[in-house]
């Protein structure tokens, strides 16, 4: 009945009203060989064809390092006929100490037709009580969103990179946050994929002796992959929010001008290039260029500082992961609000 991380099975199909009973049977039959572990509730909602199986595979990988109760929902609200099915399984991994397998439960639901509106009831009735609730919504959000859905959510995970209409989608997200009385923490995977790039660039200015360079920045160049313009724009928003820049002029789709202190102008160039979501970032401050770019191997960043035509001698830093498992794992180890994200978003909201 337990699904290992190799076969990604949905597990045992069960009646909706007997999920708890069947889970107890699962653990009683596995006593002595498997240990149930859970530090959080993780619900994953998708409407793409095959999302139930694909997300089961993702959960199997996530639970290698993050024990949780996973609730995976595959939905098709546009279907004409109602259909509700459920499965239970467990993703088991050998602990580092060896011996017993450490297992995370997964409860899977297939919802089709008007009954997809039962989503809040399905989710809330299966939560592991007193544990934080992470809700990962994949794809476009619906208008209107069910207000009941947000009563229990602690951290709402989404990826704005996939949105076709950022403004409309963000309005739905912010409405949900207001309905939850600002309690929900917004976790945008489009922001998470910038973490290592932001850290790499910020380290140039860690020492107080380098702070004067921030006030002299005159040019910014960002190379981004097709489809990741919003990611590059969020990076610009981060720079603007941290350095108190304001949008002065949108010269073209690839050229922006910001104003800083003392009406100083900062020109930003956004270049679409094949490669990583954000392949390279370069800041020009006086006669110095600060650059962060992906190394040829793809899993490291090259960081360099060049002055007056000096030979570039890059240092290496971790690049992080851009795959869904890596991004979700980063969010699962975090706590507290994302104030920096919200500040960056507000700085470039009209450009997204």
């Amino acid at each position: 009945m337990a699904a290992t991380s190799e076969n990604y099975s949905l597990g045992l199909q069960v009646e909706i009203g007997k999920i708890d009973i069947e889970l107890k049977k699962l653990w009683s039959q596995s006593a002595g060989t498997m240990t149930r572990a859970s530090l959080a509730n993780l619900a994953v909602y998708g409407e793409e064809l095959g999302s139930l199986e694909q997300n089961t595979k993702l959960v199997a990988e996530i639970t290698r390092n993050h024990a949780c109760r996973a609730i995976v929902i595959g939905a098709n609200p546009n279907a004409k006929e109602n259909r509700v099915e459920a499965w239970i399984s467990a993703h088991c991994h050998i602990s580092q100490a060896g011996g017993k397998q450490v297992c995370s439960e997964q409860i899977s639901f297939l919802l089709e037709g008007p009954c997809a509106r039962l989503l809040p009831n399905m989710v809330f009735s299966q939560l592991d009580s007193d544990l934080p609730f992470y809700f990962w919504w994949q794809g476009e959000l619906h208008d209107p969103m069910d207000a009941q859905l947000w009563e229990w959510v602690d951290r709402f995970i989404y990826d704005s990179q996939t949105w076709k209409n950022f403004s409309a989608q963000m309005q739905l997200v912010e409405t949900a946050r207001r309905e939850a009385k600002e309690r929900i923490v917004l976790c945008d995977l489009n922001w998470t994929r910038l973490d290592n790039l932001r850290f790499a660039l910020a380290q140039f200015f860690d020492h107080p002796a380098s702070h004067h360079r921030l006030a002299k920045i005159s040019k910014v160049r960002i190379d981004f992959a097709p489809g990741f313009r919003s990611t590059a724009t969020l990076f610009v928003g981060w720079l603007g929010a941290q350095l108190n820049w304001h949008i002065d002029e949108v010269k073209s789709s690839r050229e922006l001008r910001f104003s800083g202190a003392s009406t100083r102008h900062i020109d930003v160039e956004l270049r679409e290039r094949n490669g990583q979501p954000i392949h390279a970032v370069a800041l020009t401050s006086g006669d110095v260029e600060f650059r962060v770019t992906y190394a040829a191997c793809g899993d490291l960043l090259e960081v360099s500082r060049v002055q007056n035509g000096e030979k570039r001698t890059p240092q290496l830093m971790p690049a992080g992961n851009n795959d869904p498992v890596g991004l979700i794992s980063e969010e699962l180890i975090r706590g507290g609000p994302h104030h920096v994200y919200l500040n960056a978003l507000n700085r470039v909201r009209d450009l997204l």
Side-chain angles (χ1 to χ4, degrees):
M1 289 166 54
T4 68
S5 61
E6 283 74 26
N7 59 32
Y8 310 117
S9 169
L10 292 179
L12 175 69
Q13 188 165 8
V14 297
E15 295 180 28
I16 299 294
K18 295 183 178 180
I19 291 176
D20 287 338
I21 295 174
E22 295 297 337
L23 281 173
K24 290 178 181 178
K25 286 183 181 179
L26 185 153
W27 296 116
S28 64
Q29 293 171 0
S30 306
T33 61
M34 295 173 8
T35 300
R36 175 183 175 272
S38 181
L39 298 176
N41 296 288
L42 173 63
V44 187
Y45 176 89
E47 295 182 357
E48 292 291 331
L49 183 65
S51 65
L52 198 58
E53 292 76 13
Q54 180 61 32
N55 287 328
T56 295
K57 180 178 179 180
L58 292 178
V59 168
E61 294 300 318
I62 291 168
T63 54
R64 288 183 180 275
N65 298 304
H66 304 280
C68 63
R69 169 174 278 195
I71 304 171
V72 180
I73 305 107
N76 179 10
N78 296 321
K80 295 181 179 180
E81 300 293 330
N82 280 327
R83 180 184 176 192
V84 181
E85 296 182 10
W87 297 261
I88 60 169
S89 62
H91 299 290
C92 299
H93 311 279
I94 301 296
S95 67
Q96 294 182 354
K100 287 187 177 181
Q101 296 185 82
V102 178
C103 300
S104 295
E105 294 173 336
Q106 176 176 319
I107 305 170
S108 306
F109 293 102
L110 176 65
L111 306 178
E112 294 186 348
C115 70
R117 292 193 295 269
L118 298 174
L119 174 64
N121 295 330
M122 292 289 186
V123 171
F124 299 148
S125 63
Q126 302 303 330
L127 293 180
D128 216 342
S129 62
D130 299 326
L131 292 178
F133 178 25
Y134 296 75
F135 186 30
W136 180 14
W137 185 289
Q138 299 173 337
E140 303 280 322
L141 286 82
H142 303 308
D143 185 13
M145 299 289 287
D146 191 332
Q148 183 187 2
L149 190 62
W150 312 112
E151 293 181 3
W152 293 76
V153 177
D154 294 299
R155 302 180 79 85
F156 181 44
I157 303 173
Y158 54 93
D159 190 349
S160 64
Q161 185 269 331
T162 64
W163 291 347
K164 297 178 181 178
N165 186 332
F166 186 97
S167 178
Q169 290 290 294
M170 198 64 210
Q171 186 174 1
L172 292 175
V173 170
E174 291 175 330
T175 297
R177 190 163 182 258
R178 285 193 298 272
E179 290 175 345
K181 298 180 175 59
E182 310 293 327
R183 186 181 61 83
I184 294 177
V185 176
L186 303 183
C187 306
D188 187 351
L189 300 183
N190 206 22
W191 174 254
T192 308
R193 61 173 53 95
L194 292 173
D195 284 354
N196 287 68
L197 279 163
R198 293 189 297 111
F199 298 154
L201 189 64
Q203 59 86 32
F204 284 121
F205 308 99
D206 281 344
H207 197 282
S210 63
H211 289 181
H212 72 282
R213 288 287 178 186
L214 294 171
K216 298 178 181 178
I217 295 173
S218 59
K219 294 181 181 179
V220 178
R221 187 183 72 250
I222 300 176
D223 293 348
F224 64 94
F228 287 89
R229 181 180 179 83
S230 63
T231 317
T233 304
L234 277 176
F235 195 93
V236 174
W238 170 66
L239 288 172
Q242 297 301 101
L243 300 176
N244 199 25
W245 298 349
H246 301 275
I247 299 174
D248 190 41
E249 181 182 359
V250 179
K251 294 184 175 182
S252 68
S253 61
R254 57 176 289 175
E255 293 179 304
L256 310 173
R257 171 165 283 186
F258 285 75
S259 59
S262 303
T263 67
R264 175 177 54 92
H265 289 139
I266 303 97
D267 291 317
V268 177
E269 182 181 11
L270 303 177
R271 307 192 308 181
E272 186 173 304
R273 300 284 191 274
N274 291 327
Q276 299 290 336
I278 302 296
H279 182 71
V281 177
L283 302 185
T284 300
S285 175
D287 58 353
V288 177
E289 182 186 72
F290 301 93
R291 183 185 297 182
V292 179
T293 185
Y294 268 81
C297 62
D299 58 357
L300 291 170
L301 296 173
E302 294 182 349
V303 299
S304 59
R305 174 189 185 279
V306 176
Q307 185 173 16
N308 291 329
E310 296 173 337
K311 180 180 179 181
R312 190 176 299 277
T313 307
Q315 305 295 317
L316 298 177
M317 294 184 66
N321 295 316
N322 184 48
D323 62 278
V325 173
L327 295 174
I328 289 294
S329 295
E330 285 294 321
E331 287 298 336
L332 290 176
I333 63 177
R334 293 181 176 177
H338 284 322
H339 289 314
V340 177
Y341 163 68
L342 296 175
N343 292 337
L345 173 64
N346 288 330
R347 190 67 53 158
V348 292
R349 182 182 295 267
D350 293 338
L351 302 177
L352 290 163

